[in-house]
């Protein structure tokens, strides 16, 4: 570990042994020795995972302070010569060249996984990830009525595998969103419309429909039994749905009268109460000596069938007229006298 360096009187070390001729004075001659230098190399293994204090030539028995520092994503796990797991060490230089190897390995991190809403979906696949290694896999499972949207970093892979490049524990949050379902409307019977006719609505949300009957009709009921003009539907099941509504004709009364009660009779077949747009028959029957002329302002058929088009009560008036009869008026003997009426057609009930 040491080597001869020379003599104190300046004689080079090559002269060893050295032959000294004693001079006429006292003399102190010292042999000079120095510590040898040895190469101490430092290396990080595997390469690229960490850094170590640079080495070099060091004096024999000198102390060399060495530090191993892991790079992001890696960790120091020990010295290859078995010194231990401490990254800082003091190495005493011995009588040979040496390589100090600091050992590193990828760091591991905890991967936590969660759902933004337990009502909307579940997640699985958390665990321990190794830096710069493949981690598989994270899975989001939506509940009925929902669909997977994204992870917190806007990644949309599901299931999701990835090379982990984080340098700390991480939490991955799955976001789900409601599915939009089509709500279609249907008019079961009657005449009217619903607004909107159909709508797309997210699961667990609501949409309001308004029923408007056409002229002559009224709202009978929704499929829930409700009779209100509007219906608010909540998408409570994960499927498309049909909302049904029923309209019905309004009630309209049909009345009949006559110009003279002694001329004849009138009737609404089935009674006065009828539905809008239904067929109604009215009858006029003249008494003996009279005839039916017409329904005032309308048909001339004594038995008149028509479809109700009015949304208000309607009255029909039957016009009866006396029948005309031929009356022959003559004297049994024209010589004996004359008459003030001539033979001709006279209305029933006319007094002559």
């Amino acid at each position: 570990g040491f080597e001869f360096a020379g003599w104190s009187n300046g004689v080079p070390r090559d002269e060893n042994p050295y032959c000294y001729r004693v001079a006429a004075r006292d003399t102190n001659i010292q042999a000079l020795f120095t510590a040898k230098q040895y190469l101490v190399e430092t290396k990080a293994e595997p390469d690229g995972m960490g850094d170590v204090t640079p080495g070099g030539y060091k004096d024999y028995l000198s102390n060399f302070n060495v530090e191993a520092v892991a790079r992001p994503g890696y960790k120091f796990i020990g010295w290859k010569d078995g010194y231990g797991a401490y990254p800082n060490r003091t190495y005493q230089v011995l009588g040979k060249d040496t390589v100090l190897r600091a050992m590193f390995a990828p760091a591991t991190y905890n991967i936590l996984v969660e759902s933004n809403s337990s009502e909307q979906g579940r997640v699985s696949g958390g665990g321990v990830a190794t830096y710069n290694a493949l981690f598989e896999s994270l899975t989001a499972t939506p509940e009925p009525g929902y669909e997977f949207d994204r992870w917190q970093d806007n990644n949309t892979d599901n299931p999701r595998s990835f090379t982990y490049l984080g340098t700390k524990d991480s939490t991955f949050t799955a976001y789900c969103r409601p599915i939009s379902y089509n709500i279609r409307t249907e008019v079961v019977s009657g005449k009217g419309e619903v607004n909107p006719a159909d709508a797309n609505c997210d699961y667990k949300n609501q949409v309001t429909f308004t029923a408007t009957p056409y002229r002559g009709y009224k709202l009978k009921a929704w499929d829930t039994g409700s009779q209100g003009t509007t219906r608010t539907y909540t998408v409570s099941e994960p499927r498309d749905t049909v909302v049904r509504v029923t309209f019905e004709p309004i009630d309209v009364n049909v009345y009949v009268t006559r110009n003279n009660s002694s001329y004849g009779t009138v009737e609404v077949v089935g009674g006065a109460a009828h539905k809008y747009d239904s067929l109604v028959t009215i009858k006029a029957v003249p008494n003996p000596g009279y005839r039916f002329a017409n329904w005032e302002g309308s048909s001339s058929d004594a038995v008149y069938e028509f479809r109700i088009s009015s949304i208000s009560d309607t009255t029909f008036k039957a016009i009866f007229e006396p029948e005309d009869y031929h009356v022959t008026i003559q004297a049994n003997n024209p010589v004996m006298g004359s008459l003030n009426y001539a033979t001709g057609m006279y209305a029933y009930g006319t007094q002559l």
Side-chain angles (χ1 to χ4, degrees), residues 36 47 64 128 336 346 351:
K36 283 186 177 181
D47 186 42
F64 175 41
V128 177
M336 294 181 180
Y346 292 92
Q351 294 185 349

Side-chain angles (χ1 to χ4, degrees), residues 256-257 265-269 281-285 292 295 301-304 318 320:
V256 288
T257 64
T265 60
V266 290
E267 174 192 3
V268 180
V269 177
T281 300
I282 56 177
K283 292 182 178 181
V285 180
F292 173 76
W295 297 100
D301 297 330
V303 179
Y304 176 39
F320 293 102

Side-chain angles (χ1 to χ4, degrees), residues 168-209:
K168 60 181 180 179
D169 294 344
S170 296
T171 298
F172 288 79
T173 303
Y175 288 83
C176 294
R177 62 190 175 198
I179 297 174
S180 183
Y181 293 98
N182 181 256
I183 314 302
R184 181 173 58 86
T185 62
E186 178 182 304
V187 176
V188 178
S189 63
K191 295 182 179 180
E193 63 182 25
V194 181
N195 186 41
D198 68 274
N200 292 322
C201 184
D202 289 345
Y203 182 61
K204 291 294 180 73
N205 284 5
Q206 295 181 331
V207 58
T208 297
F209 296 97

Side-chain angles (χ1 to χ4, degrees), residues 69-108:
V69 179
R71 293 181 181 179
Y74 300 96
K75 61 183 178 180
F76 173 76
I77 58 173
W79 298 94
K80 194 169 186 178
D81 61 3
Y83 175 79
Y86 300 101
N88 295 295
R89 68 179 291 183
T90 298
Y91 173 75
Q92 188 176 51
V93 179
L94 301 178
K96 62 180 180 179
D97 294 338
T98 304
V99 179
L100 300 178
R101 291 179 169 85
M103 308 303 294
F104 297 91
T108 57

